[in-house]
Amino acid sequence: MRLKIRNFAKILQADIEIDGITIIAGNNNIGKSTIGKILDAVFNATYNIDEKMKKARISSLAGRLCNDIENSKDKMQTYRRHLPRRYYQEFAANLLDNEKERQEDICKEFEKKLFLADEDQETNFAQMVHERLEENEQISDQTFSKAIYTSYFSEVFHEQINSIFLPDRSAEIELSIKEKKIGLTFEKNECTEEQREIIISNSSLYIDDPFVLDEMNYNSPFGISELPIHKKNILQKLMQREEKAVEEKAFSDLLIANKLEEIMQIINRVAAGEITKKQKYVYTLDEDSSKEIDVASLSTGLKAFVILKQLLLNGNLQDKDVIVLDEPEIHLHPEWQMLYAEIIVLLQKKYNFHIVVTTHSAHFLEALELYSKKYKTSARCNYYLANLQKEGAVFENVTGNISKIYKQMVNPTLLLSNLREELETEDDEL
């Protein structure tokens, strides 16, 4: 998988190979996080997009027809039956699934269901349905999909999509998977061109804040929608465990246990408990099930491990999914950084995930490098270094020369060393 970006926000140019673990380093405020956000946005906006557009069309048509009839002031209001919303949903779905010749019959069938059989009255029902269908059909799938990409990217990037250095240039994104691509072009923060040659059936998660765990108890189902879209995606996967038959669940749990045994052994060195739902979401200690802690009361570092553990236990991560980890080491003690790095490498190996990691830590970077060697996955690790130029950030592939990243990270240490020497010299002179 390859991600090509041109003139997007702070990024001038990036050609990122995403095959296994992709590590991105660079100074602050240079656009590292933008890479992961773009990848996450492309995946989630495109995931089942055709099915989502169809459902939206059905829901819109059903809602408009229901409102038209509910608010009618002619005989329809007197003689009609009150039908549940699902009848309108089924009616709209049947209309949109069939050609015009069949639509007329479907309309007549629903009209008989809607109006009292013993009344003989003329209505404008058929004309109303025809007008709503025409409205629906006037919006092409291509226009609709471009609007979806515009909305999704505008929410993620706060309507700051085009280059801040070259605002008149088109922002371009191209995601290539097995020689097929998704291409997006943005002008003035709106998607103006869209090309899809592939169907995305895998999901993506963008994890940048362990405190998202707190929202499990502070958000109602309606409140979740008010959160940033990437946090909403995480919460849905944390709070939803797929309902299965007893036998299916038992077998699925055995498969997960076999696959995760080695990973769970490492996670349990830090987070041996599990999140359970009682009156609220609590973290139950494995060694003592009577001890319950509100998930918001867990330490920040522990939350980072608990999030991964719960996502895995819920079965909401599938082979070849995309996981973006934005500076995951930031709340972790150096020892826990090593454990977290080992978990990342093992997750990629066991699940064949596509994992993108941004980092400022030489310690964490080295841990990823060494564990990938230990578990023989180095060939599927790519390293990039961001550098800011006059017209935006450029991302250099330094996989063959990772020392470039270490050199940039070590410079502040050298400055501190020089400062220490200066201060010691001054003390000696005194």
Coordinates of all heavy atoms in Angstrom, one line a residue, residues 240-257 311-318 351:
Q240 N -18.5 -1.6 22.1 CA -19.4 -2.6 21.4 C -18.6 -3.9 21.2 O -17.6 -4.0 20.6 CB -19.8 -2.1 20.0 CG -20.7 -0.8 20.0 CD -20.9 -0.2 18.7 OE1 -20.5 -0.8 17.7 NE2 -21.6 0.9 18.6
R241 N -19.2 -4.9 21.7 CA -18.7 -6.3 21.6 C -19.8 -7.0 20.7 O -20.9 -7.1 21.1 CB -18.5 -7.0 22.9 CG -17.8 -8.3 22.7 CD -17.4 -8.9 24.1 NE -16.3 -8.1 24.7 CZ -15.6 -8.5 25.7 NH1 -15.9 -9.7 26.3 NH2 -14.7 -7.8 26.3
E242 N -19.3 -7.6 19.6 CA -20.2 -8.2 18.7 C -21.0 -9.3 19.4 O -20.5 -10.2 20.0 CB -19.5 -8.8 17.5 CG -20.3 -9.3 16.4 CD -19.5 -9.8 15.2 OE1 -18.3 -9.6 15.2 OE2 -20.1 -10.3 14.3
E243 N -22.4 -9.3 19.2 CA -23.2 -10.3 19.7 C -23.1 -11.6 18.9 O -23.3 -11.6 17.6 CB -24.7 -9.8 19.8 CG -24.9 -8.7 20.7 CD -24.7 -9.1 22.2 OE1 -24.9 -10.2 22.5 OE2 -24.2 -8.2 22.9
K244 N -22.9 -12.7 19.5 CA -22.7 -14.0 18.8 C -23.5 -15.1 19.6 O -23.7 -15.0 20.8 CB -21.3 -14.4 18.6 CG -20.4 -13.4 17.8 CD -19.0 -13.9 17.8 CE -18.1 -12.9 17.0 NZ -16.7 -13.3 16.9
A245 N -23.8 -16.1 18.8 CA -24.4 -17.3 19.5 C -23.3 -17.9 20.5 O -22.1 -17.7 20.3 CB -24.8 -18.4 18.5
V246 N -23.8 -18.6 21.5 CA -22.9 -19.2 22.5 C -21.7 -20.0 21.9 O -20.6 -19.8 22.2 CB -23.6 -20.0 23.5 CG1 -22.7 -20.7 24.5 CG2 -24.7 -19.2 24.3
E247 N -22.1 -20.9 20.9 CA -21.1 -21.7 20.3 C -20.1 -20.9 19.5 O -18.9 -21.2 19.5 CB -21.8 -22.8 19.4 CG -22.7 -23.7 20.2 CD -24.1 -23.1 20.4 OE1 -24.4 -22.0 19.9 OE2 -24.9 -23.8 21.1
E248 N -20.7 -20.0 18.7 CA -19.8 -19.2 17.9 C -18.8 -18.3 18.7 O -17.7 -18.2 18.4 CB -20.7 -18.3 17.0 CG -19.9 -17.5 16.0 CD -20.7 -16.6 15.1 OE1 -22.0 -16.6 15.3 OE2 -20.2 -15.8 14.4
K249 N -19.4 -17.8 19.8 CA -18.6 -16.9 20.7 C -17.5 -17.8 21.4 O -16.3 -17.3 21.5 CB -19.4 -16.3 21.8 CG -18.7 -15.3 22.7 CD -19.5 -14.7 23.7 CE -18.8 -13.7 24.6 NZ -17.6 -14.3 25.3
A250 N -17.8 -19.0 21.8 CA -16.8 -19.8 22.4 C -15.7 -20.2 21.5 O -14.5 -20.1 21.9 CB -17.5 -21.1 22.9
F251 N -16.0 -20.5 20.2 CA -15.0 -20.8 19.3 C -14.1 -19.6 18.9 O -12.9 -19.6 18.8 CB -15.6 -21.4 18.0 CG -14.6 -22.0 17.0 CD1 -13.9 -23.2 17.3 CD2 -14.3 -21.3 15.9 CE1 -13.0 -23.7 16.5 CE2 -13.3 -21.8 15.0 CZ -12.7 -23.0 15.3
S252 N -14.8 -18.4 18.8 CA -14.1 -17.2 18.4 C -13.2 -16.8 19.5 O -12.0 -16.4 19.3 CB -15.2 -16.1 18.2 OG -14.5 -14.9 18.0
D253 N -13.6 -17.0 20.8 CA -12.7 -16.6 21.9 C -11.5 -17.5 22.0 O -10.4 -17.1 22.3 CB -13.5 -16.8 23.3 CG -14.5 -15.7 23.5 OD1 -14.4 -14.7 22.7 OD2 -15.4 -15.8 24.4
L254 N -11.7 -18.8 21.6 CA -10.5 -19.7 21.5 C -9.5 -19.3 20.5 O -8.3 -19.3 20.7 CB -11.0 -21.2 21.3 CG -11.7 -21.9 22.4 CD1 -12.3 -23.2 22.0 CD2 -10.7 -22.1 23.6
L255 N -10.0 -18.9 19.3 CA -9.2 -18.4 18.2 C -8.4 -17.2 18.7 O -7.2 -17.1 18.4 CB -10.0 -18.1 17.0 CG -10.6 -19.3 16.2 CD1 -11.4 -18.8 15.0 CD2 -9.4 -20.2 15.7
I256 N -9.1 -16.2 19.3 CA -8.5 -15.0 19.8 C -7.4 -15.3 20.8 O -6.3 -14.8 20.8 CB -9.5 -14.0 20.3 CG1 -10.4 -13.5 19.2 CG2 -8.8 -12.9 21.1 CD1 -11.6 -12.7 19.7
A257 N -7.7 -16.3 21.7 CA -6.8 -16.6 22.8 C -5.5 -17.2 22.2 O -4.4 -16.9 22.7 CB -7.4 -17.6 23.7
L311 N -9.7 -3.4 22.8 CA -10.0 -3.5 21.4 C -9.8 -4.9 20.9 O -10.6 -5.5 20.1 CB -9.2 -2.5 20.6 CG -9.5 -1.0 20.7 CD1 -8.4 -0.2 20.0 CD2 -10.8 -0.7 20.1
L312 N -8.7 -5.5 21.4 CA -8.4 -6.9 20.9 C -9.4 -7.9 21.5 O -9.9 -8.8 20.8 CB -7.0 -7.3 21.4 CG -5.9 -6.5 20.7 CD1 -4.6 -6.7 21.4 CD2 -5.8 -7.0 19.2
L313 N -9.8 -7.8 22.8 CA -10.7 -8.7 23.5 C -12.1 -8.6 22.9 O -12.8 -9.5 22.8 CB -10.7 -8.4 25.0 CG -9.5 -8.8 25.8 CD1 -9.6 -8.4 27.2 CD2 -9.2 -10.3 25.7
N314 N -12.5 -7.4 22.5 CA -13.8 -7.2 21.8 C -13.9 -7.8 20.4 O -15.0 -7.8 19.9 CB -14.1 -5.7 21.8 CG -14.6 -5.1 23.1 OD1 -14.6 -5.8 24.1 ND2 -14.8 -3.8 23.2
G315 N -12.7 -8.1 19.9 CA -12.8 -8.7 18.5 C -13.1 -7.7 17.5 O -13.5 -8.0 16.4
N316 N -12.8 -6.4 17.8 CA -13.1 -5.3 16.8 C -11.9 -4.9 16.0 O -12.0 -3.9 15.3 CB -13.6 -4.1 17.6 CG -15.1 -4.3 18.1 OD1 -15.8 -5.0 17.4 ND2 -15.4 -3.8 19.2
L317 N -10.8 -5.7 16.0 CA -9.7 -5.4 15.1 C -9.5 -6.7 14.3 O -9.4 -7.8 14.8 CB -8.4 -5.1 15.9 CG -8.4 -3.8 16.7 CD1 -7.1 -3.7 17.5 CD2 -8.5 -2.6 15.8
Q318 N -9.5 -6.5 13.0 CA -9.4 -7.6 12.0 C -8.1 -7.6 11.3 O -7.5 -6.5 11.2 CB -10.6 -7.6 11.1 CG -12.0 -7.5 11.7 CD -12.3 -8.7 12.6 OE1 -11.9 -9.8 12.3 NE2 -13.0 -8.4 13.7
Y351 N -1.4 -10.1 13.2 CA -2.6 -9.7 12.5 C -2.4 -9.1 11.1 O -3.3 -8.8 10.4 CB -3.4 -8.6 13.3 CG -4.2 -9.2 14.4 CD1 -3.6 -9.4 15.7 CD2 -5.5 -9.5 14.3 CE1 -4.3 -9.9 16.7 CE2 -6.3 -10.0 15.3 CZ -5.7 -10.2 16.6 OH -6.4 -10.7 17.6

